[in-house]
Amino acid sequence: MYRMIECDQVEVFADRGVYLAISSGTSFYSNEAFRFDENTGEVHVREDYSKASLLFDLPLDPAKADRQTAETYLKELLNNSTSTQNTENHEYSGSMEDAAWVSWIEELRAKIRNGEQVGETITDSIKEVTYDASGNITYTYGDLTATISLENLFEEGQTGFTDRRLPISRNGDDYRAMLFHKDENGVITGRIVEIEIE
């Protein structure tokens, strides 16, 4: 599976070093697969990672770097990520449409936290998750798959539905959310909920 997320112009960072990271086991960047050195800014493959992890140094021309544009981009990105720290699958760029999306996601999360119904559950999608060799949970329904670290999904001792991870995909005019539930015996189930945007 390949996942491309927000592919902006990267040449402005050519004087800093740009990496292409590829790993299996999760649908997003994994701290288990790669190690980031905060002092140098370098990224390294973790040798003890049991799945595939590759790191490529992109050969960009340093002459095409634009430090001012890069700094401006990073400031905007950091400001936006602070405004939308719990929003997934959508980049906030400040427009009214994006602000409405962020608000909708936050309302959805609040409903989940409060135990409210957020849409119509696809009955045959409710099933117990499986675990991979690293202890991550894996849930699959049709063409939708998620592999998520357990500690990123539930707080210690938490039961019920979690809003910590909320994968959402579009299905025509409607949206589908992947929800996870843990019962009092520690059994985790996943399910797909169809959500209409009003």
Side-chain angles (χ1 to χ4, degrees):
M1 175 168 74
Y2 297 93
R3 180 172 181 162
M4 184 73 75
I5 301 174
E6 196 66 33
C7 189
D8 288 313
Q9 175 56 270
V10 295
E11 283 186 323
V12 295
F13 297 102
D15 61 338
R16 302 177 192 211
V18 179
Y19 298 98
L20 173 64
I22 300 170
S23 65
S24 64
T26 65
S27 58
F28 198 66
Y29 175 87
S30 170
N31 285 328
E32 295 172 2
F34 304 101
R35 179 175 47 83
F36 175 69
D37 186 326
E38 291 186 25
N39 295 324
T40 65
E42 293 180 350
V43 179
H44 303 278
V45 171
R46 289 190 185 269
E47 300 298 330
D48 59 346
Y49 187 63
S50 63
K51 296 185 171 38
S53 60
L54 301 169
L55 196 60
F56 297 95
D57 209 352
L58 295 183
L60 301 177
D61 182 358
K64 294 186 177 180
D66 184 339
R67 189 162 283 273
Q68 182 60 44
T69 301
E71 289 299 324
T72 302
Y73 175 83
L74 288 174
K75 283 180 186 171
E76 289 176 5
L77 184 67
L78 291 173
N79 287 338
N80 289 339
S81 66
T82 301
S83 302
T84 62
Q85 60 186 4
N86 289 323
T87 304
E88 295 177 11
N89 299 336
H90 194 79
E91 181 79 21
Y92 177 63
S93 62
S95 73
M96 288 302 289
E97 181 180 311
D98 287 343
W101 174 267
V102 170
S103 176
W104 179 74
I105 292 288
E106 291 306 316
E107 288 173 16
L108 197 61
R109 287 182 186 277
K111 286 181 179 179
I112 293 168
R113 278 192 300 274
N114 295 331
E116 298 175 41
Q117 189 171 345
V118 295
E120 189 69 34
T121 299
I122 300 174
T123 307
D124 66 341
S125 73
I126 303 171
K127 55 185 175 179
E128 192 173 334
V129 300
T130 58
Y131 295 85
D132 67 14
S134 300
N136 299 316
I137 66 132
T138 301
Y139 171 81
T140 302
Y141 176 73
D143 61 346
L144 302 173
T145 299
T147 301
I148 302 171
S149 170
L150 194 53
E151 68 245 14
N152 291 334
L153 195 56
F154 291 95
E155 294 176 23
E156 186 70 34
Q158 179 186 354
T159 58
F161 286 100
T162 182
D163 70 319
R164 292 183 75 186
R165 291 291 183 150
L166 188 58
I168 295 177
S169 61
R170 189 166 189 169
N171 182 33
D173 292 333
D174 299 331
Y175 288 83
R176 288 181 168 184
M178 188 180 292
L179 299 184
F180 295 95
H181 179 274
K182 182 162 64 169
D183 70 15
E184 58 279 353
N185 297 317
V187 177
I188 300 173
T189 53
R191 69 200 63 211
I192 303 298
V193 177
E194 293 184 325
I195 304 169
E196 271 189 51
I197 294 188
E198 300 168 359

CSV table of all heavy atoms in Angstrom, one decimal, residues 27 68-69 116 120 132 143 155 185 194:
chain,number,residue,atom,x,y,z
A,27,SER,N,0.1,2.7,8.6
A,27,SER,CA,-0.3,3.5,7.5
A,27,SER,C,0.2,4.9,7.5
A,27,SER,O,-0.1,5.7,6.6
A,27,SER,CB,-1.9,3.6,7.4
A,27,SER,OG,-2.4,4.1,8.6
A,68,GLN,N,13.9,31.5,2.8
A,68,GLN,CA,12.8,32.4,3.2
A,68,GLN,C,11.5,31.7,3.0
A,68,GLN,O,10.6,31.7,3.9
A,68,GLN,CB,12.9,33.7,2.5
A,68,GLN,CG,11.8,34.7,3.0
A,68,GLN,CD,11.9,35.0,4.5
A,68,GLN,OE1,13.0,35.2,5.0
A,68,GLN,NE2,10.8,35.0,5.2
A,69,THR,N,11.3,31.1,1.8
A,69,THR,CA,10.0,30.4,1.5
A,69,THR,C,9.8,29.2,2.4
A,69,THR,O,8.7,29.0,2.9
A,69,THR,CB,10.0,30.0,0.0
A,69,THR,OG1,10.1,31.1,-0.8
A,69,THR,CG2,8.7,29.2,-0.3
A,116,GLU,N,-22.3,9.4,22.2
A,116,GLU,CA,-23.5,9.6,21.3
A,116,GLU,C,-23.2,8.9,19.9
A,116,GLU,O,-22.1,8.6,19.5
A,116,GLU,CB,-23.6,11.1,21.0
A,116,GLU,CG,-23.9,11.9,22.2
A,116,GLU,CD,-23.9,13.4,21.9
A,116,GLU,OE1,-24.4,13.8,20.8
A,116,GLU,OE2,-23.4,14.2,22.7
A,120,GLU,N,-24.7,5.8,11.0
A,120,GLU,CA,-25.2,4.4,10.8
A,120,GLU,C,-24.1,3.4,10.7
A,120,GLU,O,-23.3,3.5,9.8
A,120,GLU,CB,-26.1,4.4,9.5
A,120,GLU,CG,-26.9,3.1,9.4
A,120,GLU,CD,-28.0,3.0,10.4
A,120,GLU,OE1,-28.6,4.0,10.8
A,120,GLU,OE2,-28.3,1.9,10.8
A,132,ASP,N,-0.5,-7.6,15.1
A,132,ASP,CA,0.7,-8.0,14.4
A,132,ASP,C,1.9,-8.3,15.3
A,132,ASP,O,1.7,-8.3,16.6
A,132,ASP,CB,1.2,-6.9,13.3
A,132,ASP,CG,1.6,-5.6,14.0
A,132,ASP,OD1,1.9,-5.6,15.2
A,132,ASP,OD2,1.7,-4.6,13.2
A,143,ASP,N,-12.0,-2.6,1.4
A,143,ASP,CA,-10.7,-2.0,0.9
A,143,ASP,C,-10.2,-1.1,2.0
A,143,ASP,O,-9.1,-0.4,1.7
A,143,ASP,CB,-10.9,-1.3,-0.4
A,143,ASP,CG,-11.9,-0.1,-0.3
A,143,ASP,OD1,-12.7,-0.1,0.7
A,143,ASP,OD2,-11.9,0.7,-1.3
A,155,GLU,N,-6.3,5.3,26.0
A,155,GLU,CA,-5.6,5.7,27.2
A,155,GLU,C,-5.5,4.5,28.1
A,155,GLU,O,-6.3,3.6,28.0
A,155,GLU,CB,-6.3,6.9,27.8
A,155,GLU,CG,-6.2,8.1,27.0
A,155,GLU,CD,-7.0,9.3,27.6
A,155,GLU,OE1,-7.2,9.2,28.9
A,155,GLU,OE2,-7.4,10.2,26.9
A,185,ASN,N,-13.4,-6.4,29.1
A,185,ASN,CA,-12.5,-7.5,29.1
A,185,ASN,C,-11.2,-7.3,28.3
A,185,ASN,O,-10.4,-8.1,28.1
A,185,ASN,CB,-13.2,-8.8,28.6
A,185,ASN,CG,-14.3,-9.2,29.5
A,185,ASN,OD1,-14.2,-9.2,30.7
A,185,ASN,ND2,-15.5,-9.6,28.9
A,194,GLU,N,-21.2,5.1,8.7
A,194,GLU,CA,-21.5,6.0,7.6
A,194,GLU,C,-22.0,7.3,8.2
A,194,GLU,O,-23.0,7.3,8.9
A,194,GLU,CB,-22.4,5.4,6.6
A,194,GLU,CG,-21.8,4.2,5.9
A,194,GLU,CD,-22.7,3.6,4.8
A,194,GLU,OE1,-23.9,3.6,5.0
A,194,GLU,OE2,-22.2,3.2,3.8
